[in-house]
Amino acid sequence: MPVTAASIRLPGGRASNVLARQFVSTQLGAWNLRDPAGDALILACELVSNAVLHGGGAVAIRLARTGEGLRIEVTDRSPQPPSPRPADVDGGLGLGLVDDLSARWGVVPGRTGKVVWLECRLS
């Protein structure tokens, strides 16, 4: 049976986005999923950036194949759900980008924080 999910823990800080990008790219290749516009990479990096910035430290990212593409889940230690900020505020475009590029997204409370998830369609 083929592997349909993978996850890693990230240390927090600037290295997390680089590691998340490599992880997503490697998994897409392993699963023969195409991301021609780079949406999955953009979305994963946005969720990881938000988790590192607002979640307080190390985060985890989990990828799962879906019928239409990919589900990305990022776990952090903060129980506070993400909230959109005005676009004119520095860094205020992230959730708008997530909303525009993903098929759907949401937040689930975790044991010690939260999981922000999204689904994106890929070929």
Side-chain angles (χ1 to χ4, degrees):
M1 171 148 266
V3 175
T4 59
S7 62
I8 60 168
R9 292 197 48 76
L10 302 170
R14 293 178 186 229
S16 290
N17 257 344
V18 173
L19 295 170
R21 190 174 187 84
Q22 291 171 341
F23 174 67
V24 172
S25 182
T26 298
Q27 280 308 129
L28 290 177
W31 291 335
N32 292 318
L33 291 173
R34 292 186 14 217
D35 183 22
D39 290 352
L41 292 175
I42 292 167
L43 290 167
C45 287
E46 185 57 41
L47 292 188
V48 167
S49 291
N50 284 346
V52 168
L53 181 63
H54 304 291
V59 301
I61 182 170
R62 179 179 182 275
L63 306 177
R65 290 183 70 165
T66 66
E68 295 182 341
L70 186 68
R71 180 178 173 104
I72 302 170
E73 300 173 353
V74 175
T75 303
D76 66 45
R77 291 187 242 167
S78 171
Q80 288 296 109
S83 59
R85 295 187 293 173
D88 60 344
V89 172
D90 187 32
L93 299 174
L95 288 179
L97 189 64
V98 168
D99 198 47
D100 288 346
L101 295 180
S102 67
R104 61 191 191 122
W105 70 278
V107 182
V108 178
R111 285 191 336 228
T112 60
K114 68 179 169 301
V115 178
V116 181
W117 61 269
L118 63 81
E119 294 177 356
C120 56
R121 291 185 178 93
L122 300 174
S123 54

